[in-house]
Amino acid sequence: MNRYPYDEKALEKEYPLAARCARPEGSIIAVGDVRIGPGTLTLIAGPCAVESREQLFTTAAAVKAAGAAILRGGTYKPRTSPYAFAGLGEEGLRLLAEAGREFHIPVVSEITSAELLPLFDGIDMLQVGARNMQNYALLQALGRQKKPVLLKRGLAATYEEWMASAEYILREGNPNVVLCERGIRSYQSGTRGTLDLAAVPVMQSLTHLPVLVDPSHAAGVSEWVSALGRAAVAAGADGLMVEVHPEPGRALSDGQQALLPEEFAQLAEDARRIAGR
Amino acid sequence: MNRYPYDEKALEKEYPLAARCARPEGSIIAVGDVRIGPGTLTLIAGPCAVESREQLFTTAAAVKAAGAAILRGGTYKPRTSPYAFAGLGEEGLRLLAEAGREFHIPVVSEITSAELLPLFDGIDMLQVGARNMQNYALLQALGRQKKPVLLKRGLAATYEEWMASAEYILREGNPNVVLCERGIRSYQSGTRGTLDLAAVPVMQSLTHLPVLVDPSHAAGVSEWVSALGRAAVAAGADGLMVEVHPEPGRALSDGQQALLPEEFAQLAEDARRIAGR
Amino acid sequence: MNRYPYDEKALEKEYPLAARCARPEGSIIAVGDVRIGPGTLTLIAGPCAVESREQLFTTAAAVKAAGAAILRGGTYKPRTSPYAFAGLGEEGLRLLAEAGREFHIPVVSEITSAELLPLFDGIDMLQVGARNMQNYALLQALGRQKKPVLLKRGLAATYEEWMASAEYILREGNPNVVLCERGIRSYQSGTRGTLDLAAVPVMQSLTHLPVLVDPSHAAGVSEWVSALGRAAVAAGADGLMVEVHPEPGRALSDGQQALLPEEFAQLAEDARRIAGR
Amino acid sequence: MNRYPYDEKALEKEYPLAARCARPEGSIIAVGDVRIGPGTLTLIAGPCAVESREQLFTTAAAVKAAGAAILRGGTYKPRTSPYAFAGLGEEGLRLLAEAGREFHIPVVSEITSAELLPLFDGIDMLQVGARNMQNYALLQALGRQKKPVLLKRGLAATYEEWMASAEYILREGNPNVVLCERGIRSYQSGTRGTLDLAAVPVMQSLTHLPVLVDPSHAAGVSEWVSALGRAAVAAGADGLMVEVHPEPGRALSDGQQALLPEEFAQLAEDARRIAGR
């Protein structure tokens, strides 16, 4: 009877760099002074999109005070419609880097094309969004530089496909990959995504890479974000990535899923208690 | 901006008995001396199937010692194949009732047809399995008696369909319904089901009925059961239903997803800590 | 390289009665004078629900004229909500049997519980709906009588589970089973179901049972029903089951997916042309 | 009662260029001398990957003889694993262009990154694969040139998301977009994908763009490809894209889903008969 359903030899052969056996003790990934991996609980928080200096700095101050270790902010936003607000672009990256310096906190932003790499110079961690999880040209380009990469799971990606995408980055020479579950697409339409928390222990057993969880995109409305965030930590996630906005009703994108700073502070406290950290 | 996505008036109209507004404080359902609902954390545990007096009594003693409040055991097992072991039937029900008396613990077993009701006389709680969630003849029959019903979510059921199935029972006069999330079917095949933990806060907001979670069927292998069980409690579940077997390798059904008694004891301890109970 | 992905020995062992090898030439199932199976194209049509003598007889005359070989009509309707119109029950069965005699056409209606069997005496074919595909008590009861059974696929059923449900009926002694694909549940919500037409050739290769397709429930709106019906015939379906209503705007259930009689007549003509019959 | 479920005004507003109302008569897209759109049935065929001059030219001769109007061949193959054969790259493009000239047939190949555009100079149509359907940087780059684009549907894309991706291309100035359904990802794992043929009539009503269907990737094994291809044509598809290999057992990628030339010839004949062309 098989209580562990995977064949470790096969994993080692198919994913020589990403498979657990390549680093049984687990990887610790550095983002500035922050360490993500075994024994840590890393909270990443910030607005869906960088909208203005004031909005970003207000949020940065609040999430840092509440215990966030890394500041997030979208600048080149992939939007389903070509007519939707797609972020401030270069100006957003400047503001984000400035906020990082001002609040002594590393910053992460999504990159959607290898050509944009030079503009991300002041950014500490590069996020690959769900839509680009199998954009191999982008993955390879990120593998040829050294900044840590936050690799979100695609909406219809299997564990193996996700791991293979990480392998694309590792193979080019960049060992600094962090995975992030953010909800898959199922028939269930009561929430924006279906958060697959089995991904946390499964991916932690398949790979040595840290696994974070983004409860905001999974929930789609702020009402359920905190419960999913707590659940993710209880499942063993190495951290959370949460969208926070000081005035969600005025957000230019995804406001309905943003937590208020005080809601995030409560979630951070609960998360630490559950994780015992 | 809508931070709560449901229209409460519409819910009240469509589900006059199950909707939250019918009992805003939440329902407390009695199963023998046990209470399920707000302020409680109920652990249901036991073997997938009752196989023998020895197997059942050994498991019952162990799970009770570890903190289980209700003993589970399948007796009329719906099996995908007509040639698979389908439970001990009437003999299983007798053993289960006897174990309940011996260990002073209420017992729950799945019922698959209204005709079997007389045989379930000594059983404290009647479970409707995922396959029968929309077997309305069965739901109505269970609504016309008073034993509490554990209504599992169907593999492809929406929140609304699940609530409507509860309404079928309530409408016939039985207010004692407890919901149980057990994993839905998605493209993700790395685990047996995809545990949809958003169901916990969502169903608790839509209805006044308690919501339990079965991490065993969702995981499908014991390796991931405990992580999912902890996550369910952190998401706010009113309790867990877990399969436990003293010798999983010898189980006649679903042995690969059964926890050992000592693994269950650890999960129970973690669950209480996370719930703060 | 495997151009046929199934192991025939394993199929024979698991489904000794339903597997193709049990009757390599394919089964021909008789429903009154009608034959369903290889070399035929059977059109089943009629209203979602029997609503009145006039509605039923008008529809029966129209669909028979257009080439329908079997008349359908719901009488005991499983409805998601306990407050929705659930059919005329016994009165509906009487009307349906009368229409069958009047128009010399066999009739089919859905049965939801074994207890109702005596009432279905005048009905030629018994339908098991998607919600009850794994209601084994019902399947076994239908296996112990001889009327042909139309077994719809469950919304989340795999090919193997569907075949196993047919095996439940066959094993009890009734060899007269016809399968019906009606759309599965996927993330895709633009139509009511996702019609899985691969089910036609796959199930025809796995089993010797005829495979029909219901494009009405898959589409959910009449606009797409005919295209899906034509596609099903081109995929090799042994027939179609289509909802037709003379005044869809006045239908008591599922009117938006009913074809007008003239639309059905066109579909029937197209289907015969595509099938070359 | 709504027999057509979409709001045309809303579509016009959200997709001003892609929505049907922008060109009610439907678009005809030219690929070399070939026209794709209303009143046509275009067959695209060829190997999954260009492997050698001999393999490509043998296949090209065979599929052209059987009625293919466009030759396909993968050259930069996105593969789940970074260690899998990823195509011949530039050499493959040269061979494909040469085959196009030799056999007087336009050629199509997948492009995975905007940087590769100059290398695709001799290629008549540029394919965007499922993995890149929301790679907006790529879509925008393809919108800024004039070659026709074959936009495959993502594995988890809704109709609206797919249409929005087409809008990205149109908005940049390239009106030459052809859609291609290739199977979505559902719980159903008996075939590689779940071919959603409702996409054909639905997308043809939502947009003015032609809709092709790729039955090869949906089926995953050659056994079911032809049935799905016939079904697609019966559903109204403007054409098919089919993988053909003279020796599937020796193919370097996806051989198990390739039709033999003679199987393709039969499918082509059936397709023309069903379409009445």
Side-chain angles (χ1 to χ4, degrees), chain B residues 79 83 156 167-168 185, chain C residues 79 83 156 161 167-168 185:
Chain B
R79 298 302 298 272
Y83 306 110
E167 187 83 15
Y168 263 98
R185 195 160 260 181
Chain C
R79 299 301 298 273
Y83 306 110
E161 289 167 348
E167 187 84 14
Y168 263 97
R185 196 161 261 181

Side-chain angles (χ1 to χ4, degrees), chain A residues 14 16-17 78-83 112-115 131-132 134-137 155-158 161 164 167-168 171 185, chain D residues 14 16-17 78-83 112-114 131-132 134-137 155-158 161 164 167-168 171 185:
Chain A
E14 268 195 85
L17 303 172
R79 298 302 298 274
T80 301
S81 166
Y83 306 110
T112 53
S113 168
E115 292 170 27
R131 291 174 178 85
N132 281 309
Q134 293 190 313
N135 178 344
Y136 301 127
L155 264 78
T158 64
E161 289 166 349
E167 187 84 13
Y168 264 97
R171 191 200 182 197
R185 195 160 262 183
Chain D
E14 268 196 83
L17 303 172
R79 298 301 298 271
T80 301
S81 166
Y83 306 109
T112 53
S113 169
R131 292 173 176 85
N132 281 309
Q134 293 191 312
N135 178 344
Y136 301 128
L155 264 76
T158 63
E161 289 167 348
E167 187 84 15
Y168 263 96
R171 192 201 182 198
R185 195 160 260 182

